Amino acid sequence: MAFSPEFNPLNARRAGAFLLLVCVCRIASAQSEQSAEPTRLNEITVTGNPLGNAEGIQAVQVLQGDDLRQEQQSTLGETLGHLPGVSSSYFGPNSSRPVIRGMDGDRIKILNNSVESQDVSSLSNDHAVPHDVLSVERIEVLRGPSAIMYGGSAVGGVVNLIDNRIPTAPMDGISGRTEAGWSSGNKERSAAVLLEAGNASFGLHIDAFGRKSDDVSVPDTMACSKSGSASSAKKICNSSNRANGYAIGSSIFWDSGHVGLGVNNYRSDYGTVADDLVTVGMQSDRYALDAELRPAGFVERIRTQWSSTDYQHTEYEDGSTGTVFKKSGHEFRLSAQHQAW
């Protein structure tokens, strides 16, 4: 069956009237757009400045003050593990390095006041970082271009531990801080004390800390072959730790700069949960110099940093000396900042 539509004059007139109305509306709209004045939007400028401008955007995370005290744990990795993009290479309660965007080991550089820590924590997950968060005032996590100035091995990022062991600004009188903590899971006891004194010309810093913990308690009974420990107990065998350290530093200030020296000591004895019979004895002695000059002119600031570190890490196997790591490192950094031009 074929279908052949019939011509309807009424429908044709209606369609013609509709098209005429559409054309009139479009002409009126075009005339209205031509008669209206153009609107100019406000100019918006977006910039990124890598030289310290507060308006610039850099991949830097800072943990300090009350936030640092709330996140503070016995290891550096666990302290930073809750930051976005940062996790922990957890190897028991005594050894943990930060992992940044999945990268660890030699790809992450640990600094102390912008100078390399000089340890062997990047060689193995059971090697601890010889720094305790109790003595740190601020932790900076740098990623991307902001980490390039610290060398090629910082491809994954930089963790910079900032303390005031070498005072960098004039002081007013005497100030101090004390901390104490206790944890039920491993009966950890920790304490730290800090004292600073000075005036516009001289500054002195002294601090000391101590941390001690037993084996971590767990719900189920676990076997243990460590000498002097029960053969089975509801604890993680060989997970105890003892650490202590101290530091002293002083600086001389004048109108256009400062110069200061500092000495700090760190000692730690801890167990490795991978082997019931292996314990680690760690010691680190560090000597540092920090000087800054602020000349008047195109160069605003010149900073010199030098450090010398003697590090030793001994692994004891059932009380007998096994593997020994020794590292002596010296680092010198010279940086300058000029005016904007």
Side-chain angles (χ1 to χ4, degrees):
M1 178 183 294
F3 175 76
S4 178
E6 296 182 358
F7 175 76
N8 190 332
L10 180 59
N11 291 338
R13 287 195 297 271
R14 290 176 178 176
F18 176 75
L19 293 176
L20 179 62
L21 178 62
V22 171
C23 293
V24 171
C25 291
R26 289 184 176 179
I27 293 173
S29 176
Q31 292 177 350
S32 176
E33 292 178 357
Q34 293 176 359
S35 61
E37 296 182 359
T39 301
R40 181 179 296 275
L41 299 177
N42 295 329
E43 182 177 343
I44 300 176
T45 303
V46 179
T47 61
N49 188 349
L51 300 178
N53 191 335
E55 297 178 357
I57 299 176
Q58 299 188 52
V60 179
Q61 294 171 291
V62 179
L63 195 60
Q64 62 183 343
D66 293 338
D67 294 335
L68 176 59
R69 301 309 161 200
Q70 292 176 3
E71 298 293 339
Q72 179 177 294
Q73 301 292 331
S74 59
T75 61
L76 180 61
E78 290 298 289
T79 300
L80 301 176
H82 298 288
L83 293 178
V86 183
S87 58
S88 170
S89 63
Y90 186 80
F91 200 85
N94 304 321
S95 178
S96 174
R97 276 175 57 99
V99 178
I100 301 178
R101 293 176 177 173
M103 287 183 280
D104 187 18
D106 289 332
R107 295 178 176 87
I108 304 298
K109 181 168 284 189
I110 308 295
L111 305 178
N112 182 206
N113 295 322
S114 302
V115 179
E116 189 171 353
S117 176
Q118 302 291 354
D119 58 61
V120 297
S121 61
S122 62
L123 298 182
S124 177
N125 287 334
D126 64 335
H127 296 178
V129 178
H131 296 281
D132 198 292
V133 184
L134 286 170
S135 60
V136 175
E137 293 188 352
R138 185 171 80 254
I139 302 177
E140 299 175 351
V141 180
L142 293 78
R143 295 176 289 186
S146 55
I148 292 178
M149 65 180 295
Y150 297 106
S153 61
V155 62
V158 167
V159 177
N160 194 9
L161 308 176
I162 307 295
D163 54 52
N164 198 38
R165 288 176 164 174
I166 300 180
T168 57
M171 302 178 180
D172 185 13
I174 300 175
S175 62
R177 186 182 77 238
T178 60
E179 293 185 31
W182 183 81
S183 176
S184 60
N186 56 355
K187 296 182 180 179
E188 181 182 271
R189 292 82 71 194
S190 62
V193 60
L194 179 149
L195 178 65
E196 293 182 336
N199 51 34
S201 301
F202 178 78
L204 175 68
H205 172 102
I206 300 174
D207 74 70
F209 73 90
R211 187 188 298 273
K212 183 179 180 181
S213 66
D214 298 335
D215 290 341
V216 178
S217 300
V218 292
D220 298 328
T221 301
M222 301 183 66
C224 182
S225 57
K226 183 178 180 179
S227 301
S229 300
S231 58
S232 62
K234 291 185 177 181
K235 294 183 178 181
I236 300 178
C237 184
N238 202 29
S239 59
S240 60
N241 174 39
R242 176 178 294 179
N244 59 79
Y246 64 87
I248 180 171
S250 62
S251 296
I252 298 175
F253 307 103
W254 61 92
D255 292 340
S256 59
H258 76 269
V259 60
L261 294 170
V263 178
N264 63 280
N265 168 276
Y266 180 88
R267 296 288 187 272
S268 178
D269 296 291
Y270 64 91
T272 60
V273 296
D275 192 328
D276 295 350
L277 302 179
V278 177
T279 58
V280 175
M282 178 190 300
Q283 59 183 29
S284 177
D285 297 299
R286 183 182 180 92
Y287 309 90
L289 178 145
D290 191 318
E292 183 177 274
L293 181 64
R294 297 183 293 273
F298 179 70
V299 178
E300 293 182 340
R301 179 177 301 175
I302 301 174
R303 187 178 185 185
T304 299
Q305 292 175 282
W306 170 85
S307 72
S308 177
T309 305
D310 291 324
Y311 174 92
Q312 182 168 322
H313 168 120
T314 304
E315 297 182 358
Y316 298 96
E317 301 175 4
D318 199 17
S320 301
T321 301
T323 307
V324 178
F325 297 86
K326 290 185 178 181
K327 183 176 183 180
S328 295
H330 309 275
E331 182 169 346
F332 175 80
R333 292 183 62 86
L334 176 65
S335 59
Q337 180 177 336
H338 61 75
Q339 295 179 354
W341 60 287

